[in-house]
Amino acid sequence: MFAQQTQSNDRIYTVSSLNAQVRLILENEMGVVWLVGELSNLSMPVSGHWYFTLKDSRAQVKCAMFRGNNRRVTFKPSNGTQVLVKARLSLYEPRGDYQLIIESMQPEGDGRLQQQFEQLKMSLAAEGLFAQSLKKPLPEQPNCVGIITSKTGAALHDILNVLQRRDPGLPVVIYPTMVQGEGAAISIAQAIGRANARQECDVLIVGRGGGSLEDLWAFNEEIVARTITASQIPIVSAVGHEVDVTIADFVADVRAPTPSAAAELISRDMTHQTQKINQKTQQLRHAIRHYLSGQQARIINLQHRLDRQHPQVRLNQQQQLLDELSSRMERAMRQLISGHQQHISHAEYKLALHSPVHLLQQQSSCLEQTKHRLLDAMDRRLLNANHKLALAAEKLETVSPLATLGRGYSITQDAKGKVIRKAAQVKSGDTLHTTVADGEIRSVVQE
């Protein structure tokens, strides 16, 4: 039966070969994953690598972040911190433990927004919404400019100041909208739709002043991106400062680094030809940025494949094993030292118990106790003897002739000392001795 079972298996694995095969399957099939969790059991040994557990309320997974990656972490992690990580699934072969190899780590709040930004960017790019073929050219000499932004923001004043300086006669229509907070994305999309429905302008500036990623998030919403793509009127995206990049910048026909730059871009000027060149440059930069983004994603994918086959991965695993063995050795040494210390303490205790000083103290204490017991016994014996003596004296007193004499009785004896009990025992002329309580009476019998 054993031979039949062996023949039915395609291959018989050793434990190490099975773990190696499972690790390759996990790393090649799953690829890169994003997940959120709470840090716990964080360990930072001298090797520079980080080991920790990522958990939520129902499950946990072991993680390793090697020093080449954790050097790029911009905050100090600690147990209990909620984080967003980018990781590859792997298997720690020596123990057969499923684990994550962390490539990047961010605090949960900022990380979630950045992750949503990247996911939407990749999704829209895959649909072709960033394609250069969809970009509408800006009018060379616009007849009316529409501005979609907050009516109280600094961006509106900057745009109006530039337009007033460069082309005072250019008509401007303002479509006020929310640019931050809940409902801002819908408000922006509605303003773009309203401008397209009215057809008052031949170019639109959509934007706001600078701020954090959260402040600018309305311009990263999918509804805004799709509304900009569907607009029949060319749109210039002018969100934040030059370093701020939003999804609206990728789907807009032209991206301006600032609201003021957007006003300069669409307004007529003596340097009109320069403006056209700048516009083309912006389009070219946008196309190059899009191309480079795709190439960067391809390079990252190739880098991940290279990393999985790189000797450094094996070295990292060996380092992880070395760190674990070092920890186990330290624990074993501490346990061994503790055992020897307990043995020494026990031997010292036994030595103290058998010490002559201790025995002498015990014997002295025993002698003192015996002395006290002997004295107590002597006192009890004397007390009992005195008591018995008193009882005996009392009994003797009750039967003593002297006591009888004291009650008025007397004893009469003849000259020979014989007690006279009857009158017939004496005759005239006999000398009698009568004993009373306080002495003796001598008498002679007469007829």
Side-chain angles (χ1 to χ4, degrees):
M1 181 176 179
F2 177 80
Q4 292 178 356
Q5 184 176 3
T6 303
Q7 294 175 359
S8 64
N9 293 329
D10 295 333
R11 179 180 176 184
I12 298 177
Y13 289 87
T14 63
V15 175
S16 57
S17 63
L18 175 63
N19 285 352
Q21 187 68 26
V22 173
R23 181 179 65 83
L24 292 176
I25 292 174
L26 284 174
E27 292 179 350
N28 293 330
E29 295 296 327
M30 294 298 296
V32 176
V33 296
W34 292 84
L35 67 159
V36 171
E38 177 183 335
L39 292 178
S40 66
N41 301 322
L42 179 61
S43 174
M44 299 180 178
V46 294
S47 63
H49 306 321
W50 294 353
Y51 306 104
F52 54 91
T53 300
L54 203 61
K55 67 177 184 178
D56 58 19
S57 60
R58 298 177 60 186
Q60 62 182 14
V61 61
K62 293 183 177 179
C63 304
M65 190 173 192
F66 300 115
R67 60 186 175 188
N69 290 325
N70 62 41
R71 287 173 180 170
R72 297 193 295 269
V73 176
T74 59
F75 70 103
K76 185 176 181 180
S78 60
N79 290 325
T81 303
Q82 287 288 129
V83 295
L84 172 74
V85 298
K86 178 182 178 183
R88 290 184 293 104
L89 273 74
S90 184
L91 185 82
Y92 183 51
E93 295 182 26
R95 284 201 311 266
D97 286 346
Y98 151 73
Q99 67 177 3
L100 295 178
I101 305 301
I102 307 301
E103 296 183 354
S104 67
M105 180 188 298
Q106 300 176 11
E108 181 184 3
D110 295 341
R112 281 184 179 274
L113 293 178
Q114 188 64 37
Q115 181 190 21
Q116 294 175 17
F117 176 90
E118 295 295 338
Q119 289 176 345
L120 181 58
K121 177 183 172 183
M122 294 177 62
S123 175
L124 296 179
E127 290 184 31
L129 268 66
F130 302 166
Q132 192 62 34
S133 59
L134 297 179
K135 308 300 181 184
K136 296 177 285 294
L138 299 182
E140 293 184 1
Q141 295 183 347
N143 297 315
C144 182
V145 177
I147 304 175
I148 298 177
T149 187
S150 171
K151 63 181 179 180
T152 59
L156 177 60
H157 297 288
D158 293 342
I159 295 171
L160 293 178
N161 288 337
V162 172
L163 293 179
Q164 179 64 28
R165 174 172 53 83
R166 291 173 57 85
D167 194 354
L170 180 63
V172 175
V173 177
I174 300 173
Y175 301 92
T177 181
M178 295 171 58
V179 293
Q180 181 177 336
E182 186 176 356
I186 296 176
S187 179
I188 294 169
Q190 290 174 342
I192 296 173
R194 189 159 57 249
N196 276 268
R198 294 181 182 178
Q199 290 293 314
E200 300 167 315
C201 309
D202 46 10
V203 65
L204 296 173
I205 298 176
V206 179
R208 57 155 288 163
S212 65
L213 178 61
E214 185 176 1
D215 294 337
L216 305 180
W217 192 250
F219 297 88
N220 291 321
E221 295 281 3
E222 184 175 358
I223 186 174
V224 174
R226 295 193 180 279
T227 304
I228 291 175
T229 303
S231 174
Q232 299 301 314
I233 303 173
I235 291 179
V236 178
S237 174
V239 182
H241 304 299
E242 187 169 359
V243 295
D244 297 322
V245 179
T246 64
I247 299 296
D249 297 331
F250 292 104
V251 296
D253 299 295
V254 176
R255 185 246 177 184
T258 63
S260 298
E264 292 183 359
L265 186 63
I266 66 172
S267 59
R268 290 169 289 204
D269 193 75
M270 295 297 295
T271 57
H272 183 59
Q273 293 301 322
T274 303
Q275 183 180 8
K276 290 181 62 178
I277 293 174
N278 291 336
Q279 180 182 352
K280 296 297 182 182
T281 301
Q282 290 290 338
Q283 293 175 354
L284 179 61
R285 287 178 178 173
H286 184 79
I288 292 174
R289 189 182 297 111
H290 178 63
Y291 174 77
L292 291 178
S293 177
Q295 292 300 312
Q296 184 179 12
R298 182 172 178 271
I299 291 173
I300 291 174
N301 184 43
L302 292 174
Q303 183 66 44
H304 290 163
R305 293 174 57 187
L306 179 62
D307 290 342
R308 289 194 292 270
Q309 303 174 14
H310 198 279
Q312 186 64 40
V313 174
R314 186 64 179 173
L315 290 176
N316 290 338
Q317 291 182 343
Q318 293 298 324
Q319 182 64 55
Q320 185 175 355
L321 176 60
L322 179 60
D323 292 336
E324 180 182 357
L325 292 176
S326 297
S327 298
R328 290 169 58 185
M329 183 180 69
E330 290 178 2
R331 289 195 298 270
M333 290 291 290
R334 286 195 296 268
Q335 291 176 355
L336 181 62
I337 292 173
S338 178
H340 284 303
Q341 288 177 342
Q342 291 179 358
H343 179 72
I344 292 172
S345 298
H346 182 67
E348 290 177 347
Y349 175 73
K350 291 175 65 178
L351 181 61
L353 288 178
H354 295 83
S355 173
V357 175
H358 182 70
L359 292 176
L360 288 175
Q361 290 177 348
Q362 287 184 334
Q363 294 298 326
S364 177
S365 178
C366 182
L367 181 60
E368 188 68 22
Q369 291 177 0
T370 304
K371 177 182 177 181
H372 286 300
R373 288 199 301 271
L374 180 59
L375 292 175
D376 290 341
M378 291 176 64
D379 290 339
R380 287 195 299 272
R381 290 289 298 272
L382 289 174
L383 183 63
N384 289 334
N386 289 334
H387 182 65
K388 289 180 179 180
L389 181 60
L391 291 176
E394 184 178 353
K395 290 180 179 180
L396 183 60
E397 182 70 20
T398 57
V399 296
S400 173
L402 296 178
T404 303
L405 295 175
R407 291 196 298 270
Y409 293 95
S410 63
I411 299 174
T412 301
Q413 298 172 308
D414 60 14
K416 295 180 179 179
K418 184 177 181 180
V419 177
I420 302 301
R421 290 184 173 84
K422 297 179 179 180
Q425 290 180 260
V426 297
K427 62 183 180 292
S428 177
D430 288 343
T431 301
L432 300 177
H433 297 277
T434 303
T435 302
V436 294
D438 58 350
E440 184 176 302
I441 300 174
R442 187 172 183 175
S443 60
V444 177
V445 178
Q446 294 177 0
E447 291 185 0

